[in-house]
Amino acid sequence: MSKQDVSLSRSGGCCTPISVAALDEATASEGAAVFKALSDPIRLRLMSIIASAGAEVCVCDITPHFTVSGPTISHHLRVLREAGLVDCERRGTWVYYWPLPDRQQWISTLLSVPEPAAELLASSKYNQK
């Protein structure tokens, strides 16, 4: 990930799916920052662990899943936080993380395919083996 500061608006509101209309510049920048945060295998795994936990999860329960150092995990968690994908709270010496459902819904909506288009895609040459 580059050292550039990426400012996210975290609009929270839903966006129009890319299969329905072209993105405006601001939404494209926001989406690119979110996908850039998820483009690292460690961050994607972290997001998966946090999102599938069902509730908040302590960093002490996350780090054993990885062979990288604690500071590296902290860096990746910070990137996910800055992208608006997770939030956290410090309790004593431990930090607890949880996913932000609004951002997950935003990604889902952005990538959603309306039913008629999904049916067309299912019958298209791309789906034939």
Side-chain angles (χ1 to χ4, degrees):
M1 182 146 180
S2 71
K3 301 292 181 189
Q4 296 174 306
D5 288 331
V6 177
S7 174
L8 293 179
S9 65
R10 294 189 196 171
S11 58
C14 270
C15 56
T16 302
I18 60 175
S19 61
V20 173
L23 297 177
D24 61 41
E25 189 174 334
T27 305
S29 292
E30 184 177 3
V34 169
F35 290 120
K36 186 174 182 179
L38 290 172
S39 69
D40 182 273
I42 291 175
R43 288 193 291 270
L44 188 57
R45 283 188 63 211
L46 282 167
M47 186 67 207
S48 174
I49 290 166
I50 294 167
S52 66
E56 62 190 23
V57 60
C58 179
V59 71
C60 64
D61 295 323
I62 295 172
T63 52
H65 294 276
F66 298 91
T67 58
V68 296
S69 68
T72 300
I73 295 296
S74 293
H75 161 74
H76 288 299
L77 288 167
R78 180 180 53 82
V79 172
L80 291 175
R81 244 185 12 258
E82 289 173 353
L85 293 162
V86 299
D87 204 354
C88 66
E89 177 180 75
R90 177 174 292 282
R91 297 183 198 147
T93 58
W94 298 114
V95 180
Y96 291 80
Y97 289 86
W98 57 89
L100 294 175
D102 289 347
R103 183 57 97 186
Q104 289 177 291
Q105 185 61 50
W106 185 89
I107 295 168
S108 178
T109 300
L110 182 69
L111 297 177
S112 68
V113 178
E115 280 301 313
E119 292 170 9
L120 178 63
L121 182 61
S123 66
S124 76
K125 64 180 179 181
Y126 298 110
N127 229 8
Q128 298 173 359
K129 294 182 181 178

